[in-house]
Amino acid sequence: MFNKSQVEVYQNIKAPEELFDKVVSSKPKKTKIYLIPLVSSLAACLVLIFGVATFLSKDFTVDVTFNGQSLTDSVVFYDISPAKAFDMRSSSELCLPIELKLDGKTEISVSEGAVVIDSQRKTSATLEGEVSLIWEIQRTSDFPQCVMTLESSEGKAEITLTQNEADGSFTAKIN
């Protein structure tokens, strides 16, 4: 197709040295069109992060009736159990009825005493739905601060029980 002289002439064609160096040392320039996929990927990641954070930050709420009173922030009450009315010294335990409405499986644990569920005394239990239990706490001369912890996959709540030394009343707070 090509004769030998044509091939030799073609092979002897060379660019000037300055032009050759300029072409070899130059880098391709990126255009702004490459930024569009990058920016859209970052935006999608941010939407995903905020969506997951919003879903996971759902507040944990539990409906608690403590000693016959709805516990939304704090409740003050006096121990008026039949044993106390008869003789306070003969009653060695403070028995507090608690009703819970739990959305899902919730781990319940107490720092002092025990919870009585279906005639069984436990320091911790996993419950769900509407539950009635009794929190039994030993009476001592120095009544400790008692904490009942309610922990589920949605969050954690604590019911703190303290006694007022002046009038003997009890205060239950949820947080």
Side-chain angles (χ1 to χ4, degrees), residues 12-69:
N12 288 332
I13 297 174
K14 297 200 181 204
E17 199 66 34
E18 296 169 9
L19 182 60
F20 180 77
D21 291 339
K22 185 177 179 181
V23 169
V24 169
S25 65
S26 69
K27 294 181 182 177
K29 294 181 182 178
K30 291 187 177 182
T31 61
K32 291 182 182 180
I33 199 125
Y34 291 110
L35 292 177
I36 293 172
L38 177 65
V39 170
S40 62
S41 297
L42 288 174
C45 288
L46 287 174
V47 167
L48 185 63
I49 289 170
F50 284 116
V52 168
T54 301
F55 178 74
L56 292 178
S57 68
K58 188 171 100 173
D59 289 338
F60 175 65
T61 57
V62 61
D63 187 16
V64 179
T65 304
F66 196 89
N67 202 30
Q69 301 177 38

Side-chain angles (χ1 to χ4, degrees), residues 110-168:
V110 292
S111 65
E112 299 289 329
V115 290
V116 179
I117 306 165
D118 299 328
S119 301
Q120 295 180 358
R121 297 186 77 205
K122 301 177 181 180
T123 56
S124 67
T126 302
L127 304 170
E128 66 180 315
E130 293 187 21
V131 180
S132 294
L133 55 94
I134 295 175
W135 187 6
E136 291 182 348
I137 304 167
Q138 291 287 67
R139 290 184 192 269
T140 58
S141 59
D142 294 329
F143 189 81
Q145 178 175 331
C146 306
V147 178
M148 176 182 283
T149 305
L150 310 170
E151 190 168 5
S152 77
S153 61
E154 296 174 356
K156 181 178 179 180
E158 290 184 340
I159 300 172
T160 306
L161 180 67
T162 54
Q163 184 176 24
N164 184 351
E165 295 289 327
D167 63 357

Side-chain angles (χ1 to χ4, degrees), residues 65-80:
T65 304
F66 196 89
N67 202 30
Q69 301 177 38
S70 179
L71 181 60
T72 53
D73 183 36
S74 68
V75 170
V76 177
F77 62 94
Y78 293 90
D79 182 21
I80 53 170

